[in-house]
Amino acid sequence: MAGRRITSLLSFSSSTATSVPSFGRYSIWGRGISRFSTAVAAEEPITPPVQINHTQLLINGQYVDAAAGRTFPTFDPRNGDVIAHVAEGDAEDVDHAVAAARKAYDEGPWPKMTAYERSRIMFRTADLLEKHLDEIAALETWDSGKTYEQSANVEVPMLIRIFRYYGGWADKIHGLTVPADGLYHVQTLHEPIGVAGQIIPWNFPLLMFGWKVGPALACGNTVVLKTAEQTPLSALYVSNLLHEAGLPPGVLNVISGFGPTAGAALASHMDVDKLAFTGSTDTGKIVLGLAAKSNLKKVTLELGGKSPFIVCEDADVDMAVELAHSALFFNQGQCCCAGSRTFVHERIYDEFLEKARARASKRVVGDPFKKGVEQGPQIDSEQFKKILKYIRYGIESGATLESGGERFGSKGYYIQPTVFSNVQDDMVIAKDEIFGPVQSILKFKLVTNHPKHLDKKKKPLSLALIDALIDNRNLDEVIQRANSTRYGLVAGVFTQNIDTANALTRALRVGSVWINCYDVFDAAIPFGGFKMSGNGREKGIYGLNNYLQIKAVVTPLKNPAWL
Amino acid sequence: MATRRISSLLSRSFSASSAFFVSQGRKSGRGRSIHRFSTAAVLEEPITPPVQINYTQLLINGQFVDAASGKTFPTFDPRTGEEIAQIAEGEAEDVNRAVSAARKAFDEGPWPKMTPYERSRILLRFADLVEKHSNELAALETWNNGKPYEQAAKSELPLFVRLFHYYAGWADKIHGLTVPADGPYHVQTLHEPIGVAGQIIPWNFPLVMFAWKVGPALACGNTIVLKTAEQTPLTALYVAKLFHEAGLPPGVLNIVSGFGPTAGASLASHMDVDKLAFTGSTDTGKIVLELAAKSNLKPVTLELGGKSPFIVCEDADIDKAVELAHFALFFNQGQCCCAGSRTFVHERIYDEFLEKSKARAMKRIVGDPFKKGVEQGPQIDSEQFEKVLRYIRAGRESSATLECGGDRLGSKGYYIQPTVFSNVQDDMLIAKDEIFGPVQSILKYKDLDEVIHRANATRYGLAAGVFTKNVNTANTLSRALRVGTVWVNCFDVFDAGIPFGGYKMSGIGREKGIYSLNNYLQVKAVVTPLKNPAWL
């Protein structure tokens, strides 16, 4: 049972480490798959156990061709072969989709149904997703290259979980009654915003679908969703299930297509009331600019990161190594919240480095459909080349390449798990989001000397206070370095000391702090960025705010019994 | 006592109307026999404001300082167009200095490192000091802005004090959540201050906007760089001085007087500003949001324009509806983002309503805002004055019927006659654009579906007034109108606890109330594994 827990599957932590065998290193040892073996990649790719039935745009409950009749190919990242040709949505298709969503919102039935009815459709969707879990997971792996075990055991269950979570919210969206300063009855209504435009990325196509569509529908909005051009397939599949579950036509419209055409048309559409975007910071800036120039639609952004993973000297080194490894390499390193700056305390640095390198060298790379494989190919040739370029930068900037550093095999977009040590803050690999299997390990120092400025003070200080100051100075360096980035998405903190944990938790300017764990993505935990990692929070109760408008309603009171 | 109630002072409704109207409404006008549309009040020598101007410099890091460039700009008395004072003109370099002071006060403290209780006490002490100086502040506000002194002294200053008491009470009540997890984890959320907040406020309610912005930002532990409107720089400098007297540490609140394209733009695009709040026009709001997008993606809240419907149903009490529709539009010389600027009247009562509205407008007392009993002062400046007169011309040319007013009043300053148009059609400019002046447009409608559709057919969505005795009509309209505030049988009720903000192009986010805290907080999720938890 523990092995099937959603959290324990996606996340690693000391308390759930026993679940690691399900797709961690134990399974590798047990099955004797060679590390860095090109054998797996060179073998004939396993045929995915799924049919592709939906390649058209989904508008107003119907699968339709693009207005222009155009299609674009979607590829298998294992070999770069074409999987299918997908209808390519452009501005005109976005117009049709928005008109359908507009009608379903303005005239109903969606926002005019009871919240309970909306909730039941979402629950039924979750049940249908569960029924088709294997096919959906296979489709996700085929199109994105992530391991099938991860898709089937983690991501599709999380999608189901998200739909049940937000299904449960639908009938629990409460406004407030408000104390007034006079003879008034004041209430607030939490209303759906209207038509939500949503643009999702390719790294977690289904999860991002769940994060976006779940709260939007629960709050009574209608949706036009644009998928990433790399991964259009699974959203089309699950959207069909939503309609099977009873979703009325026009409530959820799915446009496959490209950012500069379909994405831009959605972001600047005058009839879209809300936009949610997940992707790079640079694209996020463009999206927000388009919203500003058009109709000031409200925008939530979930963008890039360069998240610190801080290993303090009192951390359990083995556990920290394993979690730092998963924090970076999970999903081929293609996570906005990847722990891509591994800060290790100098006292344990050598031991940590040795073990981190050994762990990376043992990482099983290969056909993501193969059991026991931990790492599949990168998403496409563009990302593949970008990562190899960053690896070259790392080597040229004088960081020490500890393992990996090259492509893996000769076909598809596989890259060796790569570890750099002696990484300095000003190196490009320590500053830019690489979005690949490249771990950068940085050292931070301990200030052991008694602080000189304290000696000069005549006022006696208690030992405890001096200790506290030393501790603070010790942490100051890593806090300052961890925070000196334009990003602020997440951080990992490894320590057994509660004071260290508390000090770092408050000082780190990030949206999530995972202490002695990482990548815990429960439905109720809000996720989002400080600084240029984004605006707003997804998941949890906070995710509802993105899809609600607040309306204050005021009426005078005659002879009220109380105020 | 009832007349001192804050909500009844700023707002009018059935229950509060009797007390308020007597104090500065038409009865007092009749009693004192001030002529309607009388230029007499305007032509008299302006009353000398009972206040000194002591603060004209920028306030940076707790010090009043000149602009880096040494430049100044004049600020004017709208009654005469004469200069009141020369004010230090902040530009990019001054914004840089102010932001680095705010940055330091945030990053190194003391502000966010003080206990919320300490922050709360400073806000409370500040409110008390403002109360003590409220006569001078009201005079300064009227002098610089042209709004009636009685409104400044009896509505806006008390509202200002009320808002700081309100937010002081929030400072130590900002709770995060503990969160149910799907596994053996302890999950909590921290609601943290964002950092340095840039705030840009308009000239129509200089002090009230100061409070809406500064109150929640400080209560949440942020530090601030505030840019005032170039038309009304004076009162913010005065109250900011009182804030420091109340114990606010240097650098926590910095005030930059100056212009939008220079000081405003550099604040909006500053890389070290973590949050931006703007109140002003929709067009400027779009620019501000773009600057945030192009720079560092600082989260932005916008409170922008409106063209708010005021819907009078056939079952409404006509006299009350007339009075409130009048107030909804003409309040503050019509210079309200939430002005009820499209008065929709049911066809069955249209003629009676129109007749009475015209009569009410003609009785409106326009004159020196320092004079007792005056209801309407001058518009803020010549630019607005010209713009309003241009819209009146557009109304005439579009064949709406000019029922009264339509011209400037007197020959000095920026006074405009209370103006009423009837037979206004939806596609006329005066029914579409935000005029921001004393120009009421009366439109006729037949049934509820029609008026819902017409009321919503605008890019704006700020507020709406609904007049009906029928609870079903009230409920239907309340849900169907796409606006941030629905006032049913009342208008302009601005209690501290009531959220205010726009749908559509009227803005992003809500100010006041519990909702406004979100604008100044970041949410941080903190997760740790649980060992042998007693419960999950």
Side-chain angles (χ1 to χ4, degrees):
Chain A
M1 196 46 213
R4 296 287 302 176
R5 286 207 77 96
I6 291 160
T7 4
S8 61
L9 279 167
L10 184 57
S11 62
F12 293 72
S13 76
S14 47
S15 59
T16 55
T18 47
S19 67
V20 173
S22 66
F23 69 100
R25 51 194 158 154
Y26 282 97
S27 54
I28 302 147
W29 293 335
R31 291 188 197 92
I33 296 169
S34 330
R35 60 188 169 92
F36 277 22
S37 160
T38 55
V40 180
E43 281 167 15
E44 200 55 32
I46 295 166
T47 307
V50 61
Q51 294 287 321
I52 294 167
N53 295 323
H54 308 294
T55 58
Q56 290 169 292
L57 312 176
L58 178 56
I59 297 177
N60 207 24
Q62 303 291 322
Y63 284 100
V64 295
D65 286 331
R70 273 210 299 261
T71 62
F72 66 98
T74 185
F75 301 101
D76 182 341
R78 297 177 300 171
N79 48 31
D81 292 350
V82 174
I83 300 177
H85 288 275
V86 177
E88 182 182 341
D90 204 339
E92 195 180 339
D93 306 289
V94 169
D95 282 346
H96 292 161
V98 170
R102 191 80 259 167
K103 186 154 179 282
Y105 182 79
D106 290 346
E107 296 169 25
W110 194 241
K112 292 179 200 269
M113 288 166 86
T114 66
Y116 177 48
E117 287 174 290
R118 287 197 291 270
S119 144
R120 293 201 61 191
I121 290 170
M122 296 185 73
F123 289 143
R124 279 200 295 270
T125 299
D127 294 343
L128 285 173
L129 291 169
E130 209 152 42
K131 201 175 128 192
H132 294 274
L133 186 150
D134 294 342
E135 288 154 87
I136 297 168
L139 204 53
E140 188 80 332
T141 289
W142 196 5
D143 212 7
S144 85
K146 63 178 67 207
T147 63
Y148 177 77
E149 287 178 344
Q150 180 184 320
S151 295
N153 296 342
V154 181
E155 296 184 21
V156 182
M158 278 183 81
L159 174 70
I160 294 162
R161 172 74 182 104
I162 287 277
F163 265 87
R164 294 213 171 101
Y165 179 79
Y166 281 110
W169 266 120
D171 57 0
K172 290 160 203 79
I173 292 166
H174 293 72
L176 302 171
T177 57
V178 180
D181 293 334
L183 298 171
Y184 293 98
H185 173 61
V186 182
Q187 55 191 307
T188 60
L189 301 176
H190 292 191
E191 300 193 338
I193 292 189
V195 175
Q198 307 185 317
I199 301 176
I200 60 173
W202 48 261
N203 58 341
F204 294 96
L206 283 172
L207 278 186
M208 294 302 102
F209 179 97
W211 288 23
K212 295 277 182 294
V213 172
L217 294 187
C219 294
N221 301 275
T222 61
V223 174
V224 177
L225 176 93
K226 189 197 93 65
T227 50
E229 66 270 22
Q230 294 88 345
T231 53
L233 297 176
S234 54
L236 292 171
Y237 188 111
V238 300
S239 298
N240 189 46
L241 296 182
L242 269 150
H243 286 85
E244 226 178 288
L247 194 77
V251 175
L252 171 63
N253 305 275
V254 181
I255 301 284
S256 315
F258 294 82
T261 51
L266 192 57
S268 49
H269 205 289
M270 292 302 286
D271 260 344
V272 171
D273 303 305
K274 157 78 196 171
L275 196 82
F277 170 82
T278 297
S280 74
T281 294
D282 289 345
T283 310
K285 293 173 79 167
I286 294 170
V287 161
L288 184 58
L290 293 174
K293 276 189 197 135
S294 55
N295 66 343
L296 288 172
K297 54 181 78 62
K298 287 105 193 109
V299 177
T300 41
L301 300 171
E302 203 273 88
L303 308 175
K306 192 72 189 177
S307 298
F309 185 105
I310 301 172
V311 186
C312 300
E313 65 172 310
D314 65 346
D316 176 323
V317 176
D318 288 335
M319 195 191 300
V321 165
E322 184 58 39
L323 271 148
H325 176 83
S326 100
L328 186 283
F329 290 99
F330 179 65
N331 205 48
Q332 293 70 250
Q334 301 168 148
C335 300
C336 50
C337 59
S340 52
R341 291 183 294 154
T342 312
F343 286 100
V344 182
H345 193 279
E346 61 173 4
R347 282 227 197 124
I348 53 168
Y349 181 84
D350 292 338
E351 182 189 353
F352 184 96
L353 178 58
E354 188 51 42
K355 288 178 170 170
R357 183 175 61 193
R359 177 64 187 90
S361 301
K362 281 201 208 95
R363 189 165 185 80
V364 186
V365 185
D367 188 326
F369 279 104
K370 185 148 187 157
K371 243 188 158 176
V373 162
E374 293 176 288
Q375 180 176 319
Q378 308 307 121
I379 187 72
D380 63 11
S381 72
E382 190 186 327
Q383 288 292 318
F384 175 78
K385 285 180 192 150
K386 192 185 94 178
I387 294 160
L388 291 175
K389 195 172 69 205
Y390 273 114
I391 292 174
R392 275 200 304 280
Y393 289 157
I395 294 168
E396 286 162 11
S397 63
T400 310
L401 179 68
E402 297 283 348
S403 70
E406 283 183 59
R407 80 176 297 176
F408 181 76
S410 56
K411 215 163 64 170
Y413 310 123
Y414 295 90
I415 292 181
Q416 295 174 355
T418 298
V419 176
F420 279 109
S421 64
N422 292 318
V423 177
Q424 305 302 315
D425 293 356
D426 58 355
M427 292 177 181
V428 178
I429 57 169
K431 293 200 292 190
D432 285 12
E433 189 176 37
I434 300 175
F435 232 63
V438 183
Q439 185 175 29
S440 294
I441 302 182
L442 304 93
K443 193 189 282 187
F444 73 93
K445 282 186 195 137
L446 171 70
V447 179
T448 45
N449 293 336
H450 201 71
K452 282 174 189 163
H453 70 277
L454 287 183
D455 297 337
K456 291 175 189 162
K457 292 205 172 175
K458 296 192 175 151
K459 210 182 197 174
L461 284 166
S462 74
L463 267 179
L465 179 54
I466 292 171
D467 285 347
L469 286 167
I470 292 171
D471 275 346
N472 281 338
R473 282 171 58 89
N474 174 13
L475 289 173
D476 273 354
E477 181 206 321
V478 76
I479 288 169
Q480 196 269 330
R481 291 172 63 192
N483 280 337
S484 51
T485 163
R486 66 176 183 158
Y487 296 114
L489 198 51
V490 306
V493 169
F494 273 74
T495 178
Q496 289 167 30
N497 183 313
I498 192 169
D499 295 321
T500 305
N502 281 336
L504 285 172
T505 295
R506 295 219 170 203
L508 293 168
R509 297 199 177 144
V510 297
S512 293
V513 179
W514 285 304
I515 302 170
N516 298 326
C517 58
Y518 209 86
D519 280 350
V520 182
F521 278 113
D522 293 6
I525 306 177
F527 185 83
F530 280 43
K531 300 195 276 186
M532 290 176 79
S533 287
N535 286 334
R537 294 292 179 273
E538 298 190 290
K539 295 198 287 119
I541 188 171
Y542 302 94
L544 302 171
N545 295 340
N546 303 330
Y547 296 98
L548 294 170
Q549 276 281 23
I550 307 300
K551 181 185 279 179
V553 183
V554 185
T555 45
L557 284 172
K558 319 270 170 126
N559 305 315
W562 55 270
L563 276 179
Chain B
M1 196 45 214
T3 52
R4 296 289 304 174
R5 287 208 76 98
I6 291 158
S7 52
S8 62
L9 278 166
L10 185 56
S11 63
R12 302 190 185 196
S13 76
F14 296 164
S15 54
S17 59
S18 55
F20 182 75
F21 293 150
V22 175
S23 67
Q24 50 162 308
R26 49 195 159 154
K27 282 189 204 176
S28 56
R30 286 205 288 266
R32 291 189 197 89
S33 73
I34 296 172
H35 304 300
R36 60 187 169 90
F37 278 19
S38 160
T39 55
V42 179
L43 291 176
E44 284 166 14
E45 199 57 30
I47 295 167
T48 307
V51 60
Q52 294 287 320
I53 293 169
N54 294 322
Y55 311 110
T56 59
Q57 290 169 293
L58 313 176
L59 178 57
I60 296 177
N61 206 24
Q63 302 291 322
F64 282 103
V65 294
D66 286 331
S69 67
K71 276 205 283 214
T72 63
F73 66 99
T75 187
F76 301 102
D77 181 342
R79 297 177 301 171
T80 56
E82 283 163 16
E83 181 182 318
I84 300 177
Q86 286 284 333
I87 307 291
E89 182 181 339
E91 287 177 332
E93 197 180 334
D94 305 291
V95 168
N96 285 341
R97 286 193 293 166
V99 170
S100 66
R103 190 81 260 165
K104 187 155 177 282
F106 185 80
D107 290 346
E108 296 170 24
W111 194 243
K113 292 179 200 269
M114 286 165 88
T115 66
Y117 178 47
E118 288 174 289
R119 287 197 290 270
S120 151
R121 294 202 59 195
I122 290 169
L123 295 181
L124 291 171
R125 278 200 297 269
F126 169 62
D128 294 345
L129 280 176
V130 170
E131 204 155 39
K132 202 173 125 193
H133 294 271
S134 74
N135 290 341
E136 287 152 270
L137 278 163
L140 203 55
E141 189 81 330
T142 289
W143 194 6
N144 206 183
N145 166 284
K147 61 179 69 206
Y149 176 76
E150 286 179 346
Q151 177 187 322
K154 291 184 185 161
S155 298
E156 297 184 21
L157 262 300
L159 196 55
F160 183 96
V161 171
R162 169 70 183 109
L163 283 160
F164 275 95
H165 284 145
Y166 179 80
Y167 283 110
W170 267 122
D172 55 1
K173 290 162 202 77
I174 292 164
H175 293 72
L177 301 171
T178 56
V179 181
D182 292 335
Y185 290 96
H186 174 60
V187 182
Q188 56 191 304
T189 59
L190 301 177
H191 293 189
E192 301 192 340
I194 292 189
V196 174
Q199 307 184 317
I200 301 176
I201 60 173
W203 47 262
N204 57 342
F205 294 96
L207 279 173
V208 174
M209 293 300 103
F210 179 100
W212 286 23
K213 296 277 183 294
V214 171
L218 293 187
C220 294
N222 300 274
T223 61
I224 295 175
V225 178
L226 176 95
K227 189 197 95 62
T228 49
E230 67 270 22
Q231 293 88 346
T232 53
L234 295 175
T235 47
L237 294 171
Y238 190 117
V239 294
K241 167 73 179 149
L242 295 181
F243 230 138
H244 288 84
E245 243 177 270
L248 195 74
V252 175
L253 171 63
N254 306 275
I255 313 275
V256 176
S257 315
F259 294 81
T262 50
S266 59
L267 192 57
S269 50
H270 206 289
M271 294 300 287
D272 259 344
V273 170
D274 302 307
K275 157 79 196 171
L276 197 82
F278 170 81
T279 295
S281 75
T282 293
D283 289 345
T284 311
K286 293 173 78 167
I287 295 169
V288 161
L289 184 57
E290 258 196 276
L291 292 174
K294 278 191 193 136
S295 54
N296 66 344
L297 287 171
K298 51 181 82 60
V300 176
T301 41
L302 299 172
E303 204 273 87
L304 308 175
K307 192 73 187 177
S308 297
F310 186 103
I311 300 172
V312 186
C313 300
E314 63 174 308
D315 66 345
D317 177 322
I318 294 184
D319 288 338
K320 281 174 192 161
V322 164
E323 184 58 39
L324 271 147
H326 175 83
F327 166 74
L329 186 282
F330 290 98
F331 177 64
N332 206 47
Q333 293 72 248
Q335 302 167 147
C336 300
C337 49
C338 59
S341 52
R342 291 183 294 154
T343 311
F344 286 102
V345 182
H346 193 275
E347 58 177 3
R348 286 225 197 122
I349 53 168
Y350 180 84
D351 293 338
E352 183 186 352
F353 185 94
L354 178 57
E355 193 51 44
K356 289 180 168 169
S357 291
K358 183 166 97 178
R360 176 63 186 93
M362 302 203 27
K363 282 201 207 95
R364 189 167 184 81
I365 303 161
V366 186
D368 187 327
F370 280 103
K371 185 152 187 155
K372 244 190 155 171
V374 161
E375 293 176 287
Q376 180 177 319
Q379 309 305 119
I380 187 72
D381 62 12
S382 71
E383 190 187 327
Q384 289 292 317
F385 175 77
E386 300 291 350
K387 193 184 94 178
V388 175
L389 291 175
R390 210 163 49 233
Y391 273 114
I392 292 174
R393 275 199 302 278
R396 281 172 151 161
E397 286 160 12
S398 63
S399 79
T401 310
L402 180 68
E403 299 282 348
C404 68
D407 273 306
R408 79 178 298 177
L409 184 70
S411 56
K412 210 163 66 171
Y414 311 122
Y415 295 90
I416 292 181
Q417 295 173 355
T419 299
V420 175
F421 280 108
S422 65
N423 293 318
V424 177
Q425 305 302 314
D426 293 357
D427 58 354
M428 292 179 182
L429 212 52
I430 58 168
K432 293 201 294 189
D433 285 13
E434 188 176 39
I435 299 175
F436 231 63
V439 183
Q440 185 175 26
S441 295
I442 302 182
L443 305 92
K444 194 189 285 187
Y445 78 91
K446 282 193 183 124
D447 65 57
L448 214 54
D449 280 350
E450 176 207 330
V451 78
I452 288 169
H453 169 77
R454 291 171 63 192
N456 282 334
T458 164
R459 65 174 184 159
Y460 296 114
L462 197 51
V466 168
F467 272 74
T468 178
K469 289 167 173 159
N470 184 311
V471 71
N472 293 320
T473 308
N475 282 337
T476 301
L477 285 171
S478 290
R479 294 219 172 204
L481 294 169
R482 295 198 179 143
V483 298
T485 302
V486 180
W487 285 301
V488 182
N489 297 328
C490 58
F491 208 87
D492 280 353
V493 182
F494 278 113
D495 294 5
I498 306 176
F500 185 82
Y503 280 46
K504 300 195 276 184
M505 291 177 78
S506 287
I508 296 174
R510 293 294 178 271
E511 298 190 289
K512 295 196 289 113
I514 188 171
Y515 303 94
S516 64
L517 302 173
N518 296 340
N519 302 331
Y520 296 99
L521 294 170
Q522 277 281 20
V523 175
K524 181 185 278 179
V526 184
V527 186
T528 45
L530 285 172
K531 319 271 169 128
N532 305 315
W535 55 271
L536 275 178

